[in-house]
Amino acid sequence: MLTNYLKIAWRNSLRNKTYSALTLLGLAGGMTCALLLGLYVSDELSYDRFHANTDRIFRLNLHIKWADNEYKMGVGSAPMAPALQQEYPEIQNVLRVKTGTETLLRVGEKALYAKNVIFADSTLFTFFDYQFIEGSPQTAFISPNSLILTQTMALKLFGKTDGILGSVVRVKEQLPFTVAGVIREVPLNHHLQFDAILPYSNTAASTINLNGWDNFGSKIYVLLNQASDQPQLESKMAAFYQKYIARAIGAEGDSKVTFEITFQPLADIHLHSTHLMGEENGGNMAFVYTFSAIGLFILLIAIVNYVNLATARSAGRAREIGVRKAIGSGRLQLIGQFLTESLLVSFLAILLSLLLFVLLLPFFNAITDKSLTLDVASPRTAALLVGFTLLIGLISGLYPAFVLSRFKPALVLKGNVSVSGKAALLRRSLVVLQFTISTAMIVGTLVVYQQLQYMRHTQLGFNQEQVLNIPLKVPSVQLSANSLKNRLLQSPLIKGVSLTNGSIGGEMNNKSTFDFYARGTEQPVSTEHFRVDEHFLDVLQIKLKEGSASTAGPMADSAGAVFINEAMLKRLGWKNRTTGLVELDAKRVEVAGVISDFHLRSLHNRIEPLVLVRSKKPGDHLLIRVSPQQVPTALAYVKKMYEAVNPNQPFEYTFLDQTFSSQYRSDEQKGSLFLAFSGIAIFIACLGLFGLAAFTAEQRTKEIGVRKVLGASVASLVALLSKDFLKLVLVAIVIASPIAGYAMNRWLQDFAYKIDIEWWVFAGAGTLAVGIALLTVSFQSVKAALMNPVKSLRSE
């Protein structure tokens, strides 16, 4: 019987090629989108779940508030870890990790910067499951001068990964470390990425203060005896704070200070840390929800296409059903027949979908910055694909099967076939659903594009064009910075040079508390700050609102002039810079100037109060404004001078405008995905609309012939056939607009500076949806209207 069902299903597919092609292409498109987005979501949800102790590992987070200052951090201080293990039996082990350090590594004459060197306790290898190529977890940190390299870093330094144990690598130019292990590349779905590992206890290399309770800069992980111990442990943290930390931060007995310690599950770190300082580069659960919804919506549109077209064809198959019932076919047999047809289409669609998936995956990976793969040969993957295909086939075919199998043979064999009002209402409702989703996605695409354009073209408060940023990563390079400055300024290609210890456009998190005094009261403010030289404002072309460069006087090595931005002036509640004083190096000095607000980072971040301290101390970044007409020549000159002053040191640079652009890369990726999948959703919806228009025109062939004989024009016939569909699209636009407006307003909340959604966005999206629908329907309408009435009426 199954063989018979399949034969009939195949013959029906061949007999109705247009219908079959539309349903097949629609389902394949929906399945492809679902597979791509499902793979993305699965990867995001898989972070850190491959470790044996994932469910028992937690990271310590801090939430500190005092006055108007607030910190939310995924870090603690070095002495917290051993104290926690000593105090609480719920904790089986602790781990400290200092992350995000770019470090110079040298082997012989070969020198390179490792982008991410971490400092970790030896317990790192009991917490996380890394695979050793050489060495072992037990002997990895047997010495405080041990060094662990990743496979890639070992190849860069030595050209091989074996036989290098015991080799010496110089860290930060002079510090000798011995290679004690080589590990395979850390999986990309691990939140802790690195190139090399150094012992946490080696303070010469890390400059970590092992006894500094108020020095919050290390990630603290705890391994609990049981995952269920987390709430109980958190309830004890208030007492831990009072015993160990309150006095260290000068808040003992101060009820105005709130210090909350929580423990975040390891599997939550990647997707639930965007609210923490320094964690902006992780994932975002909002995107997981968004892309899950988009994948389901597109799949739903494809299924709706199948249901719509199958029920629309019901009149064409009525006689077949009547004959089958007349010769003894039961309703269950007919349902089986129609479900077999839908399953056949579903399996053909998955084959086409896999082909499309293979073709599109490289582009998808490029947009998302991932390396996703789908191992179809894996039994688990194959089972999931078969289950997915069966599910789609059953969902798609269930309703049409029940509708078609309900026809009464006595009526349909007499030619008395009519589509019930409920079936027609369902089809119209499904078309409205399709275009509601499509219109909402068009609105979303327009809003995302507007916001990206706004971020790219908003003035940052300084001139970022043609400014080179050269990081000075080792002490010898920092000490030679003034010599390099003097050489650079001898060329007309160089318009200005400034030395600073802050990275404009990068992650700052360089906060300190400054004490301001006004009208006899002290006002401590925790604020971003960095040292600058006398040329900083000129090089970046930042406006000085109050004071002047000359008011600072000569700079000393120990203290200089203090500049604040407008946001700080507002935060202090001062009328002008002369209202109060600021404490600098144990001296109360007048603020030398007020600068205009400018963006240190992307528009995701609001402009915060800022303090600039003019100083001659060595900095770690050199900002160079070059001639806009001769950028390549100027860049070559800068490189030549750098290498002359710093021989055998790698030369690295970025342009500030590129730095800021890179901060929007994630947003642009999401915008590109949104645009691509919106286009696919609209295309699939139009396939269904095209099919419905074709069947509607076919059913009204004789009516069109009569109208033409009676003098109806082609335009009037096109309008007659199109208006019903356009009414449905207009209803969809009315429904989609408020839903899309709410959703996109929620999305925009992630930006400190954002656009207002204007009325024309909805009007434009609606016009586009109507235009696409009209274009789709009109093709069939014009074709029907131009048909010769003699042919359509001949059977009469």
Side-chain angles (χ1 to χ4, degrees):
M1 184 178 289
L2 181 60
T3 305
N4 185 50
Y5 285 166
L6 288 171
K7 284 181 181 179
I8 296 170
W10 181 251
R11 288 168 184 169
N12 274 321
S13 298
L14 294 178
R15 188 179 303 120
N16 302 281
K17 293 182 177 62
T18 302
Y19 160 79
S20 300
L22 291 175
T23 52
L24 182 62
L25 192 56
L27 273 181
M31 287 177 165
T32 304
C33 292
L35 287 176
L36 287 170
L37 291 172
L39 202 58
Y40 172 88
V41 169
S42 175
D43 181 72
E44 288 290 288
L45 294 175
S46 72
Y47 267 72
D48 294 308
R49 296 184 185 274
F50 58 90
H51 303 291
N53 296 318
T54 291
D55 62 328
R56 295 194 293 130
I57 300 173
F58 295 80
R59 185 184 67 183
L60 180 145
N61 290 345
L62 300 181
H63 184 190
I64 311 170
K65 292 178 69 176
W66 77 96
D68 294 329
N69 303 296
E70 182 174 14
Y71 288 124
K72 291 182 179 179
M73 304 179 290
V75 293
S77 56
M80 290 176 72
L84 283 167
Q85 187 172 19
Q86 179 182 342
E87 287 279 337
Y88 304 108
E90 297 93 336
I91 298 176
Q92 180 178 324
N93 215 336
V94 293
L95 165 66
R96 297 170 296 185
V97 179
K98 176 75 174 178
T99 62
T101 305
E102 189 170 8
T103 306
L104 180 69
L105 304 180
R106 184 185 295 277
V107 175
E109 295 300 316
K110 182 181 290 186
L112 56 83
Y113 284 110
K115 297 294 183 183
N116 195 354
V117 173
I118 67 171
F119 298 84
D121 289 323
S122 59
T123 52
L124 176 74
F125 307 108
T126 62
F127 273 69
F128 304 128
D129 300 331
Y130 303 134
Q131 298 181 20
F132 275 75
I133 298 174
E134 282 210 316
S136 69
Q138 293 75 27
T139 60
F141 281 160
I142 197 169
S143 161
N145 291 322
S146 295
L147 167 69
I148 308 297
L149 297 174
T150 62
Q151 189 174 5
T152 299
M153 186 53 60
L155 287 171
K156 287 181 179 178
L157 287 172
F158 295 97
K160 58 182 181 178
T161 59
D162 58 328
I164 62 173
L165 293 185
S167 300
V168 175
V169 177
R170 296 199 173 273
V171 177
K172 295 184 178 180
E173 297 184 290
Q174 300 299 326
L175 300 173
F177 280 78
T178 302
V179 177
V182 178
I183 61 174
R184 296 192 186 280
E185 289 309 302
V186 180
L188 294 175
N189 59 346
H190 180 36
H191 79 285
L192 197 60
Q193 296 292 315
F194 52 84
D195 299 311
I197 313 169
L198 297 175
Y200 190 86
S201 58
N202 192 315
T203 55
S206 67
T207 65
I208 296 172
N209 184 352
L210 295 176
N211 299 310
W213 281 95
D214 59 345
N215 188 359
F216 305 117
S218 298
K219 295 182 185 296
I220 308 293
Y221 300 88
V222 296
L223 178 64
L224 302 185
N225 295 320
Q226 296 180 358
S228 57
D229 291 336
Q230 177 203 9
Q232 179 183 349
L233 182 63
E234 287 183 344
S235 68
K236 300 176 181 179
M237 287 302 99
F240 182 81
Y241 161 71
Q242 291 295 339
K243 181 176 181 178
Y244 289 103
I245 304 171
R247 179 179 294 179
I249 65 173
E252 194 172 23
D254 190 344
S255 60
K256 296 180 181 179
V257 176
T258 302
F259 197 103
E260 182 182 7
I261 301 174
T262 57
F263 294 93
Q264 183 178 28
L266 177 66
D268 288 352
I269 290 176
H270 175 68
L271 290 173
H272 298 276
S273 298
T274 53
H275 63 291
L276 301 175
M277 291 172 55
E279 299 286 343
E280 290 81 357
N281 294 325
N284 191 326
M285 197 64 195
F287 287 133
V288 172
Y289 289 139
T290 299
F291 289 130
S292 297
I294 290 174
L296 289 174
F297 284 150
I298 293 177
L299 194 57
L300 179 60
I301 289 174
I303 292 171
V304 165
N305 271 359
Y306 186 93
V307 174
N308 263 345
L309 293 173
T311 53
R313 291 182 65 247
S314 60
R317 301 194 66 178
R319 291 188 185 278
E320 174 196 341
I321 296 164
V323 170
R324 285 175 177 278
K325 282 196 168 186
I327 61 176
S329 291
R331 190 178 179 193
L332 287 178
Q333 289 175 308
L334 291 171
I335 289 174
Q337 171 65 51
F338 294 124
L339 285 179
T340 302
E341 290 183 15
S342 68
L343 288 172
L344 176 62
V345 172
S346 185
F347 273 98
L348 290 174
I350 196 66
L351 294 177
L352 179 57
S353 174
L354 288 173
L355 177 61
L356 293 172
F357 178 87
V358 170
L359 294 174
L360 294 175
L361 187 59
F363 301 100
F364 186 77
N365 279 333
I367 293 174
T368 57
D369 270 345
K370 288 184 177 289
S371 300
L372 304 175
T373 57
L374 185 67
D375 184 10
V376 182
S378 162
R380 181 175 179 272
T381 304
L384 286 173
L385 286 174
V386 171
F388 173 69
T389 307
L390 287 172
L391 181 64
I392 298 304
L394 289 173
I395 293 174
S396 302
L398 208 56
Y399 178 79
F402 276 95
V403 169
L404 296 174
S405 64
R406 215 166 36 212
F407 287 152
K408 295 180 179 179
L411 295 176
V412 296
L413 290 176
K414 291 179 181 179
N416 187 8
V417 181
S418 61
V419 181
S420 69
K422 289 184 178 179
L425 177 62
L426 175 67
R427 281 206 304 275
R428 287 195 290 268
S429 300
L430 292 178
V431 170
V432 169
L433 175 62
Q434 283 183 311
F435 274 87
T436 297
I437 296 171
S438 299
T439 304
M441 294 184 75
I442 293 172
V443 171
T445 302
L446 291 175
V447 172
V448 169
Y449 177 77
Q450 274 190 290
Q451 178 64 19
L452 291 176
Q453 289 296 104
Y454 172 77
M455 291 190 298
R456 282 198 165 279
H457 296 97
T458 296
Q459 295 297 318
L460 298 176
F462 68 95
N463 186 358
Q464 59 179 328
E465 303 297 327
Q466 286 83 48
V467 177
L468 279 172
N469 179 17
I470 300 179
L472 312 176
K473 300 173 183 177
V474 294
S476 63
V477 177
Q478 294 168 9
L479 291 172
S480 65
N482 283 317
S483 174
L484 178 59
K485 277 177 61 177
N486 294 333
R487 291 196 181 203
L488 291 173
L489 290 171
Q490 293 174 7
S491 170
L493 297 170
I494 307 302
K495 302 302 180 184
V497 184
S498 176
L499 185 63
T500 172
N501 77 329
S503 173
I504 307 299
E507 284 301 320
M508 291 290 294
N509 295 327
N510 187 25
K511 282 195 171 185
S512 292
T513 299
F514 285 80
D515 293 324
F516 292 87
Y517 300 87
R519 296 179 292 277
T521 60
E522 179 183 351
Q523 192 173 359
V525 179
S526 175
T527 178
E528 298 258 43
H529 74 97
F530 52 93
R531 299 191 309 272
V532 299
D533 64 12
E534 66 272 28
H535 304 297
F536 179 78
L537 301 183
D538 291 334
V539 169
L540 292 186
Q541 298 177 6
I542 297 172
K543 294 180 181 178
L544 192 62
K545 307 290 286 190
E546 292 184 41
S548 66
S550 61
T551 59
M555 294 188 298
D557 287 339
S558 59
V562 174
F563 292 81
I564 61 175
N565 65 350
E566 294 172 291
M568 176 62 83
L569 196 68
K570 183 178 180 181
R571 165 73 175 76
L572 294 169
W574 292 359
K575 293 182 179 180
N576 53 57
R577 67 184 176 86
T578 61
T579 302
L581 304 172
V582 59
E583 185 172 299
L584 185 67
D585 293 337
K587 297 179 182 178
R588 295 184 185 181
V589 298
E590 182 179 304
V591 174
V594 177
I595 61 174
S596 60
D597 285 337
F598 67 96
H599 290 272
L600 281 172
R601 295 185 290 280
S602 74
L603 270 68
H604 281 279
N605 306 280
R606 190 167 296 280
I607 294 176
E608 299 288 347
L610 174 68
V611 169
L612 301 181
V613 179
R614 291 220 330 208
S615 170
K616 284 187 175 179
K617 290 181 179 179
D620 54 15
H621 283 82
L622 202 62
L623 301 175
I624 306 168
R625 179 169 293 282
V626 300
S627 172
Q629 290 80 27
Q630 297 173 290
V631 174
T633 307
L635 183 57
Y637 175 75
V638 171
K639 181 180 180 182
K640 180 180 178 181
M641 292 299 102
Y642 179 91
E643 293 174 344
V645 175
N646 304 292
N648 302 319
Q649 294 291 346
F651 174 70
E652 294 184 359
Y653 70 92
T654 56
F655 281 96
L656 278 189
D657 55 350
Q658 294 174 344
T659 301
F660 275 87
S661 294
S662 66
Q663 296 187 50
Y664 303 125
R665 177 168 174 76
S666 176
D667 299 301
E668 289 172 347
Q669 290 171 345
K670 304 304 184 292
S672 298
L673 286 176
F674 210 96
L675 176 62
F677 288 112
S678 296
I680 293 171
I682 295 165
F683 174 72
I684 296 173
C686 287
L687 285 178
L689 200 60
F690 181 86
L692 286 177
F695 285 116
T696 300
E698 184 181 342
Q699 289 175 346
R700 301 179 72 172
T701 299
K702 289 184 172 57
E703 176 192 346
I704 294 167
V706 171
R707 288 179 180 274
K708 287 196 76 174
V709 169
L710 295 176
S713 65
V714 172
S716 64
L717 291 173
V718 171
L720 175 71
L721 294 172
S722 303
K723 66 180 182 181
D724 289 339
F725 291 108
L726 293 183
K727 286 178 184 176
L728 300 179
V729 175
L730 290 173
V731 171
I733 293 168
V734 172
I735 297 172
S737 295
I739 296 173
Y742 173 77
M744 297 316 298
N745 271 313
R746 288 290 302 271
W747 178 74
L748 287 170
Q749 297 307 310
D750 192 38
F751 298 88
Y753 301 90
K754 54 185 179 290
I755 62 167
D756 294 320
I757 303 178
E758 303 288 347
W759 64 269
W760 65 262
V761 172
F762 302 101
T767 302
L768 186 59
V770 168
I772 292 170
L774 186 61
L775 189 64
T776 304
V777 174
S778 293
F779 178 82
Q780 289 294 342
S781 301
V782 171
K783 180 181 176 182
L786 292 174
M787 186 181 295
N788 188 341
V790 174
K791 291 183 179 180
S792 58
L793 296 174
R794 180 175 296 164
S795 62
E796 296 294 322

